[in-house]
Each structure stands twice: as C-alpha cells, then as structure tokens.
Amino acid sequence: MVEAGPPAAPNGPPVARVDRVLRGAAQVLFFLTGIAFFGYLSRYYLTGAGGPTLLAVTAVPLTVCLVFLNDLRHGALYPRLGSVAPFVIALLYCGVALYAAWYLYREFDEIRIYRLGIWNATDLAVGGAVAALVLEYTRRRYFALFLLNVALILYAVYGFLVPGMFHHPGMDWTRIVSAVSVEMTTGVFERLPQLGLTLIGSFILVLAVLRAFGCIDSILTGSSRVALHSPRTLPQAAVFGSFAVAAVSGSGAANAATTGSATIPVLIKAGFPRVTAAAVETASSLGGQLMPPLMGIAAFLMADYMGKSYFDVVARGFAPAMIYFLGVAFAVWLLAARHHTRAVTPDVRAMRFMDWTNILSYLIAVGGLIYLMGVERRPAMASAQTVFLYLFGFLTVAFAVRSVHARVWSLRELTRPFLRLIESFATVTGELTILLATLGILTAMFTITGVPTKVGVLLMEGAAINLFVMVLVAFAFGYLIGMGLPVAPTYIVTAIVVAPFMIRAGLDPWVVHFFIFLVAVFGELSPPTSVTAAVTSRIADAPFVRTMLAAVVLCMPLLVMMGAVFSRPDLVVEPGWAQLPAFALVLIGTLALSFALQGRFHPRRALDLPMRIGLAGIASATIFHPDASVAALFAAPTLLLTLAGAWRFRRLPR
C-alpha cells in the first residue's frame, strides 16, 4: 500500500495557482463590467435617453458590481476568508445587483407611478437589497458614515424612546426600506447619485482621460525639471505640481498619496525637516479641492443644492482659490529661506514628447472648460463631454504617433492607456456614486425624522443671542461631522442641517454655502482625524500629530477665508470685477498673517515677537473690520510691513 503524501501547505503552489486564476477572472469581470458601464454612461451623455432617474436605477446597481469587483481583483474583499469565498460572495453580490437593475428597469413606470405608495414585497425586497449592498460597501470603506446611517435608521424606527425635542413616534421598517430605495426622490436612487452619474461623471471622464495618458506623471516631471537649476524654486515647484495634480485627482488624501511620494523626499533632501515637508504636501494637496475649474465634488453638490449652474460656483471660486494658493506659496517661500534650502538634483528624467503633449492637454482641458462654460455659457455636462471628446482624439493621435516613432507594437502597450481610461472612469465614478447613494440614505433619514428642523431651532436660538454665535455653532457642527467623513458628505450634511437657518437669519446664500464648503474642505485636515496629514506623515516618516499641527498653520488661509466670507461677502457674492476689492484686502491680510507665523523681523526674539503680533493685529483688521474703507486704511501699512519684513528676513543670519 502506497501512503499518501502530506497535504499541501495552505500557502503552497496549488493555493497560489487558484488565487492567481481567481484574481485573473476578477480582473476580466471588472473590465467587462467597466466597459459596459463606460458605454452606457457615454450613451446617456450623448443622448440623455431615459432621464437621470432611470439612469440611476440601472447604473447604481452596476456601480455596486464595479466597486466589489475592484476590491476583489486587488485582494481587498474580505481578505481573511481566503480566495474562493470572496470570489463567490462577489458573484452573489453582482448577481443580486444585476437582477435589481433589470427588475427596476422593467418595472420603472409601475414603481414610480402606478404602485407609488403601495409597493409590493418584490419592489421593496429588490430596492432594499440595493440599499443593503450600498451600506455594506460603506461599512468597509467609510465606517464613520456607515455608523451615522445606522444610528439615523435606528433613530427613525425607535424615536419614541428618545426624550426631549428629538422625540418622535417612530416608523415601521417598511417605511424605512421604501424611503431609502423605491421612493426614488430619497435614498440610493435620488438626485445625489444621479448627480454623480451625470454632471460629475462627465467631468470624471475628462480627469480619466488625462490620467490614462500619464498627465499626472508629466506634471510632476515638469515641475521637478523647473527646480533643477535653482534650489530656491524647488519648494515652489513642489507646491505648484501638487496643486495642479490635486485639481485633477479631486481628493486631498488621494493627491497626497500620488504626489507626496515624489515631492516629500525631494523637500527633505533640500533641507526641510520631515514634519515641515509633510505639512507642505498636506497644504498643497488640500488646495486641489479649491482650484477651479475642476473643483472638488462638494462644488458640484453646492451648484445642485443651490439650483445654480456649476460655472456660477466656479466663477466665484477663483478668488478664494488664489488667496489660498498664494498664501501657502508665500509661507513655503518663507520656510525655504528659514531652512537654508540646499541645491538638489532630483532624480528626474528629461521631458519627452508625451510629457509635453500631456501638459498641453491639461491646459486645453482647463482652458476649454472655462471657455465653454464661461464664454459660450454651455451647460457644464455638455462642456465636459465636448472637452473629453477633443482630448481623447488629440491624445489618441499623439499616442499613435509616439508608438509608431518608438516602434511599439506590443498589444499590451498599445491598449494600456485605453484600459487605464476604463479603469479610472469606472473606479472613480463607481466609488463616488456609492458614496452619494449612501448620502441619499442619510438625507432620507434626515427628511423623514425632521432632524434638520430640530437642529435649526438650536441655531436660531444662537442667532437670537448673536450672529457670531450662530456661525460658531455652524462651524462646530461642520467640524464634528468633518472629523469622520470625506468632503462631500460633510458639505451635504452641514448644508442640509445648517444652511436654511443661516439664510433665514439674513445671510447671503452664496456666503453661507461657501462657508460650509470651506468647512467641509477643512474636514480633510481637521484634528485629530486628518486623513491627508496621516498619508503625508507616513510618507515622510514623521510624527502624525506634529505634521497635522504644522499643516493647520500652513493652511491658515483656509481658516481666514471662513471668516472673510462674512466680513467681505463681495469675495463670493458676485463674480468678476466686484470681487477685486475684497480679494485684495483678504490677500494682503493673509500674506501678512503668513509672515507673522513663518517669518521674522529681528534675530532677537524679544524684539521680533511684538513686531509680528502687531503685524498680525493690523492684518486681522484688514481682513475682518466691518467697514471696508477703514480696512483699506489698514491694508497699506500691512502690505508695506509684509514686503519690508520679507526683504529683511532673507538677509537675517540663520
């Protein structure tokens, strides 16, 4: 009798082979689903067939498939369960989602019109299944948002147990399921995921084509080449490169992970302490959320919430963005002088044909969007689609020319940028749509329980004491929300709860919404849970808390503008020439505050500190004094002292 050999080790070749096969199958399924998703949305962008609600009930389940398949192909879907179980679970999820898409498409008019309010068990089961899958992904990706949703759902059901002003009779589970799914005016198919699939999705197409052909790498290469001949320009090149890439990435944390690995080591070699280098990248990455015309997701939400065009938001966003950029750049210039920036030759390759093409494409995208939306006044979605088509054609021709010239005939190399386009568009749009669908559940619970009205009562009571108190309460609410949520959820939750009551108290809607927008952006930095600072500190191998605090100081322009939109409402109320006086006052004050924080007037601390405190005082008056004429009187000495201080600071002994 021949004895059987020992069983294969769990990590042996058979297991590895199965894992590779399943990963490959997941990759194929992801790209097949991604191509279908890309084609379906492209058809909608060109024709508008069916309208946004029908698009949502069919495309949201598709995004569920995409996000789970994306995790599966990267080994991030329930990794503790091995290889086979996650694959089976993903197929089950995709089967449920695809059945839901088919059922909701087939029964669309019946559910929305004829069975409105009297949905049958199948309607509720199918809609509830999509909502459950959305919540499951949220649990794994945005745990704080998941907990908030669960808490609100439990509050909606068991509100009769809550004492005081937040007491309500409670609702049955059928009402909860219908509110988050088949009602379609709230829940996972409401206007927020519709916005993600339509307007925001069309802009993501532009970003995806830029990413696919290597625009981010080209921008970083170009900014590094600028710094080769002058050590003084190196920090500014890092800031500019991060700003430009952040405008494409749309996320501070994502940008920090993308560009920080390139910029932070170079800044450290140039003489910046690790904490300072990480803080510079944090501040630069955060600025991408403010940079028109590709502002972050919250700007799209602002346009939708206010019922304005996206360009109306973009046009007003230029002034705050430039103040932030110039304030951060000036602070980095002062830091470079303080830390004796050394000459560094970055390990950077020469600019190639595709690099120049990509940078030109980036400028075409930005200029094209501004021209189409601002000059021709085309709708934002149509403008983005036009820019995408021209960019795609231009970059495809350039890529073909480069491939022929370089004699690249490999099928893998020839298809690489096009697969990247599908991958980038599918993953970013899918994850964003799921996030917005989760916000749809949250807003549904807010709506049916009346939480915004109850919080608004507290705000109005604060306004009765003083408008300043109301603003502080609103900031505190947004700050607390932002500690656990990304920018988009922070904006939408704060806007729903806070904005109507601040507007009712007499504040201009643009002022209120830009204030909330700035608070939401600050959420990516807000201590003690700054995601962006966590990423940069890890790259720099620097202490997280010190990095976060240093970044807060560098991001001072963002904090200043939260108050400046109230003291200088012209900064955002009316775009164009009307912004210039307010822009000048706030910019002068912001630069002065940057010098007060980062510069020095005198080598002796006993003399230097009072002078910097005095400069900070007149700078604050320039920004916040309610009378613009008085503020203008403060602006002249503020500017002169800042310029004189900067000139002297470069010559002080170190």
Side-chain angles (χ1 to χ4, degrees):
M1 180 177 176
V2 180
E3 293 185 2
N11 296 321
V15 175
R17 204 158 41 242
V18 169
D19 184 64
R20 282 197 303 271
V21 170
L22 293 178
R23 289 278 187 93
Q27 188 91 337
V28 171
L29 289 173
F30 171 81
F31 275 103
L32 289 176
T33 308
I35 291 169
F37 182 73
F38 175 83
Y40 186 49
L41 260 65
S42 296
R43 171 178 170 271
Y44 177 83
Y45 297 147
L46 293 173
T47 66
T53 305
L54 181 61
L55 177 71
V57 300
T58 49
V60 168
L62 272 180
T63 63
V64 169
C65 295
L66 283 170
V67 295
F68 282 111
L69 288 173
N70 188 48
D71 284 351
L72 179 66
R73 72 191 183 110
H74 289 116
L77 182 64
Y78 311 121
R80 295 182 180 179
L81 299 181
S83 301
V84 178
F87 190 84
V88 173
I89 292 171
L91 290 182
L92 176 63
Y93 287 171
C94 290
V96 171
L98 292 176
Y99 174 78
W102 171 79
Y103 180 85
L104 293 168
Y105 178 83
R106 190 191 69 182
E107 301 290 323
F108 181 68
D109 288 334
E110 296 289 329
I111 291 172
R112 193 177 61 156
I113 301 172
Y114 302 110
R115 293 201 294 268
L116 181 65
I118 51 171
W119 298 285
N120 61 38
T122 307
D123 297 338
L124 295 171
V126 169
V130 176
L133 290 173
V134 167
L135 282 174
E136 170 57 12
Y137 182 77
T138 307
R139 181 191 67 81
R140 298 174 53 252
R141 185 67 185 271
Y142 306 105
F143 190 65
L145 186 55
F146 170 77
L147 289 180
L148 180 58
N149 266 320
V150 170
L152 285 170
I153 290 171
L154 293 176
Y155 169 65
V157 176
Y158 301 108
F160 59 88
L161 299 176
V162 179
M165 68 180 296
F166 288 93
H167 172 86
H168 70 86
M171 300 168 192
D172 60 44
W173 284 100
T174 300
R175 176 74 178 97
I176 302 299
V177 172
S178 68
V180 301
S181 58
V182 290
E183 287 187 17
M184 296 185 190
T185 54
T186 59
V188 294
F189 305 122
E190 60 125 66
R191 64 186 179 89
L192 290 178
Q194 291 172 25
L195 183 68
L197 291 164
T198 55
L199 176 59
I200 304 178
S202 65
F203 275 78
I204 292 174
L205 262 181
V206 176
L207 306 185
V209 74
L210 290 173
R211 287 177 175 176
F213 287 89
C215 179
I216 289 177
D217 293 335
S218 298
I219 291 173
L220 290 176
T221 300
S223 62
S224 298
R225 297 291 300 180
V226 169
L228 281 176
H229 305 293
S230 172
R232 298 295 185 189
T233 62
L234 176 63
Q236 301 304 328
V239 171
F240 176 79
S242 290
F243 261 75
V245 175
V248 176
S249 69
S251 165
N255 180 75
T258 303
T259 64
S261 57
T263 59
I264 290 174
V266 174
L267 288 173
I268 292 172
K269 289 179 182 178
F272 277 62
R274 290 181 178 275
V275 167
T276 306
V280 168
E281 178 59 38
T282 301
S284 303
S285 296
L286 207 66
Q289 298 283 344
L290 305 173
M291 271 295 166
L294 302 172
M295 296 167 72
I297 298 167
F300 291 95
L301 299 179
M302 186 195 306
D304 182 71
Y305 193 87
M306 296 185 70
K308 304 290 185 180
S309 74
Y310 178 62
F311 188 76
D312 286 334
V313 176
V314 167
R316 290 164 172 81
F318 273 105
M322 290 307 300
I323 290 170
Y324 182 84
F325 175 77
L326 293 173
V328 170
F330 182 57
V332 172
W333 181 83
L334 293 169
L335 288 170
R338 176 188 295 179
H339 295 300
H340 308 280
T341 310
R342 298 188 293 265
V344 174
T345 304
D347 184 15
V348 57
R349 58 176 172 78
M351 295 287 286
R352 300 169 182 166
F353 171 74
M354 282 305 295
D355 292 319
W356 292 113
T357 303
N358 287 334
I359 290 175
L360 177 62
S361 300
Y362 178 84
L363 298 175
I364 289 173
V366 173
L369 288 171
I370 293 173
Y371 175 78
L372 292 173
M373 292 190 297
V375 178
E376 294 196 1
R377 306 299 292 182
R378 291 195 195 179
M381 192 168 76
S383 300
Q385 187 67 13
T386 301
V387 168
F388 165 75
L389 291 173
Y390 279 107
L391 271 182
F392 181 75
F394 174 69
L395 286 170
T396 299
V397 171
F399 178 72
V401 170
R402 186 203 68 104
S403 299
V404 171
H405 184 266
R407 299 181 183 276
V408 176
W409 308 114
S410 165
L411 181 62
R412 169 180 266 183
E413 290 300 319
L414 290 175
T415 57
R416 187 187 300 273
F418 305 102
L419 291 178
R420 279 182 182 170
L421 171 61
I422 297 296
E423 180 181 35
S424 180
F425 177 71
T427 53
V428 175
T429 309
E431 291 176 1
L432 170 65
T433 302
I434 295 295
L435 173 61
L436 294 176
T438 306
L439 292 182
I441 296 174
L442 185 144
T443 55
M445 294 302 99
F446 274 157
T447 301
I448 65 177
T449 58
V451 168
T453 303
K454 294 167 183 176
V455 175
V457 170
L458 299 178
L459 285 172
M460 295 305 291
E461 288 177 355
I465 301 170
N466 187 280
L467 196 59
F468 179 70
V469 174
M470 184 182 199
V471 172
L472 281 182
V473 172
F475 173 79
F477 180 83
Y479 183 93
L480 291 172
I481 294 294
M483 285 172 61
L485 301 180
V487 174
T490 302
Y491 170 79
I492 201 67
V493 172
T494 310
I496 289 171
V497 173
V498 167
F501 301 96
M502 295 185 76
I503 294 169
R504 194 179 303 168
L507 295 171
D508 187 277
W510 284 111
V511 169
V512 171
H513 281 276
F514 263 94
F515 166 72
I516 295 171
F517 172 65
L518 295 170
V519 172
V521 172
F522 183 69
E524 285 208 345
L525 182 65
S526 56
T529 58
S530 172
V531 179
T532 309
V535 172
T536 57
S537 63
R538 193 178 308 124
I539 294 171
D541 194 21
F544 166 65
V545 174
R546 288 179 56 198
T547 298
M548 181 174 56
L549 295 177
V552 169
V553 174
L554 272 179
C555 293
M556 172 273 301
L558 185 61
L559 294 166
V560 165
M561 282 187 293
M562 289 182 201
V565 293
F566 295 104
S567 61
R568 302 282 173 263
D570 290 344
L571 192 66
V572 294
V573 168
E574 196 64 42
W577 296 108
Q579 291 176 290
L580 286 180
F583 170 79
L585 291 175
V586 177
L587 177 61
I588 289 169
T590 300
L591 295 178
L593 287 174
S594 289
F595 185 84
L597 291 169
Q598 308 291 353
R600 280 191 298 165
F601 282 105
H602 198 277
R604 291 180 58 188
R605 183 177 176 83
L607 295 176
D608 175 63
L609 190 58
M611 295 173 71
R612 285 197 282 150
I613 291 174
L615 177 61
I618 61 172
S620 299
T622 302
I623 299 170
F624 299 115
H625 195 285
D627 190 325
S629 301
V630 175
L633 294 177
F634 281 108
T638 300
L639 180 60
L640 290 175
L641 284 172
T642 303
L643 294 175
W647 180 83
R648 178 173 170 76
F649 180 62
R650 293 296 298 270
R651 288 158 179 78
L652 286 178
R654 301 290 186 263

